[in-house]
Amino acid sequence: MKEQLNELLQKRVSLRRYADRPITLEDMDFILKSAMRAPTAGNMMLYSVIKVEKDETKKKLAKSCDNQPFIARAPSLLIFCADFQRWYDYYQLSGVPEVCLERETAFHLPEEGEFLLAAMDTLIASSFATVAAEACGIGSCYIGDIVENYEIHKELLKLPKWVLPVGMLCLGYYPDNYKRSVNTRFDSKFIVSEETYHHLSDAELQEMMADKEKEFNSKNKFNAENFGQFNYFRKTGTEFSDEMTRSVKLMLDEWKSV
């Protein structure tokens, strides 16, 4: 069992090209049920999953999620949303606000803490989904750009107040004879600390990034002189990063508004 799981995890790649066939109902059911077995705070399951398979919707998401055409070609998309709406609807149904009023205590509405808790639940569930998909011969690509353009996604997906998108998976079977190129990961000594956080020294940072620096091409569109500069202008200091921040701030404002 351990060996099989290790092989599954070690060969996983982000798949952006898919076999031209839909995901079977049996495999999709397995993926979703596996996701719902993920660890969850207080067994509350603070997430919802929206399955998208209509071409029209996939095309809109491909555009709104940083213009990535392969999203529209994926047979299925799963959008994982942090969801406190379901519980607060149930609290209303159960008369909790009225009891709080009788007891002269404030009825607590979702704030930043609840959002973070729900987001953690949601992302753990999406991770379980990726592993379950791999077990079915189905590849996935995680799309963080679903948190951009909140206004568009809220309308497109008909999201109520306390439901926010935090991750999306593109899913599809691996094409026949697909050659996987597995990206390396940093050595665990740079990631795992004992008892307390270990702040990496300059020498350790250079050792950690040595392979990245070897692969760095000095002739690049950002005129970067090293991999650190290249990655900053490719990922961190970008317009889509600014849009992500704007959109997340808007989400939180909506989440906390009375």
Side-chain angles (χ1 to χ4, degrees), residues 103-134:
R103 298 181 182 181
E104 298 182 343
T105 184
F107 178 54
H108 180 84
L109 296 174
E111 296 186 13
E112 294 92 339
E114 282 76 20
F115 171 70
L116 183 58
L117 195 67
M120 289 189 290
D121 259 23
T122 307
L123 294 175
I124 296 170
S126 70
S127 294
F128 269 52
T130 64
V131 176
E134 286 291 323

Side-chain angles (χ1 to χ4, degrees), residues 6 31 38 62 65 91 98 109 111 119 138 145 149 171 214 232 234 243 257:
N6 181 60
I31 292 168
C65 292
Y91 291 155
E98 291 80 6
L109 296 174
E111 296 186 13
I138 294 170
D145 301 285
N149 295 306
L171 296 172
K214 287 178 184 177
Y232 174 83
R234 181 176 72 102
E243 164 55 27
S257 64

Side-chain angles (χ1 to χ4, degrees), residues 15 18 70-71 74 76-77 139-143 168-172:
L15 189 66
Y18 312 98
F70 78 90
I71 293 174
S76 297
L77 307 176
S140 60
C141 185
Y142 182 82
I143 307 295
M168 181 169 74
L169 289 179
C170 300
L171 296 172

